[in-house]
Amino acid sequence: RPYSTGFDSGSADSVCTLVEGVEGLIQVTTANGPFAGSHHLTMDDSVNGGSFSTNSASLKVNASTQSQITLSFRWKHFSDETHTQDGVFISGNGGASFTKIYDLNGGSTPANQWQNVTIDLDQAAASAGVGLTSTFVIRIQQHDNWGITSDGFAIDSVTVN
């Protein structure tokens, strides 16, 4: 602790695991306006109107001796990001099971505008009955069936401290 990334190396680091769904597309890219620096992470579908895809970016952190731990990041959606699968999830068992703690719902925010998201992980974990363990995982998840800029979202400036 702390952990932070702006994806400016042009790729995800070893702490961040990216998983694409069936037609998913996750990219560390310069396209579509990063919040800061030169790159950001985008998640969308590789086939417009095809099958729905669930993509995720997971951070594994040792939270067993931590208190007052916060996750913050910048997020923007490109349009139509209103699925219940969109959000931030946590796991205290290394990713064997996850609990949703925050909706990433584009229905209430303007498209293509960066939003600051800050989550008190101590409070969220306690409310969800999830322990802050040595195998704590934070997952940012996106679900859709259209590519950017019709759908999908981007994240940048991720910090856990």
Side-chain angles (χ1 to χ4, degrees):
R1 205 172 85 154
Y3 169 80
S4 71
T5 185
F7 304 103
D8 288 326
S9 67
S11 63
D13 59 34
S14 62
V15 174
C16 186
T17 302
L18 306 176
V19 177
E20 293 177 340
V22 175
E23 293 176 356
L25 181 61
I26 300 176
Q27 296 180 318
V28 176
T29 180
T30 60
N32 305 302
F35 174 75
S38 58
H39 291 77
H40 62 164
L41 182 78
T42 60
M43 299 181 187
D44 66 342
D45 200 292
S46 62
V47 178
N48 283 335
S51 299
F52 276 87
S53 180
T54 300
N55 303 305
S56 65
S58 297
L59 301 173
K60 294 182 181 179
V61 296
N62 181 351
S64 63
T65 61
Q66 307 300 323
S67 62
Q68 300 180 350
I69 186 170
T70 302
L71 167 68
S72 63
F73 59 95
R74 295 294 180 148
W75 170 82
K76 73 175 174 179
H77 70 97
F78 294 98
S79 186
D80 188 38
E81 211 56 50
T82 58
H83 309 287
T84 59
Q85 297 92 331
D86 297 331
V88 179
F89 298 75
I90 57 173
S91 171
N93 56 14
S97 62
F98 282 90
T99 301
K100 187 175 188 179
I101 59 166
Y102 189 87
D103 283 319
L104 290 174
N105 186 323
S108 61
T109 59
N112 295 301
Q113 292 186 18
W114 286 103
Q115 308 292 319
N116 184 45
V117 176
T118 301
I119 301 169
D120 179 333
L121 291 176
D122 296 277
Q123 180 180 353
S127 295
V130 174
L132 294 174
T133 64
S134 62
T135 57
F136 191 74
V137 180
I138 303 161
R139 173 180 285 171
I140 299 172
Q141 183 172 287
Q142 181 267 342
H143 178 83
D144 70 40
N145 66 334
W146 288 88
I148 292 171
T149 59
S150 297
D151 215 334
F153 63 66
I155 59 173
D156 203 353
S157 303
V158 179
T159 303
V160 179
N161 62 16

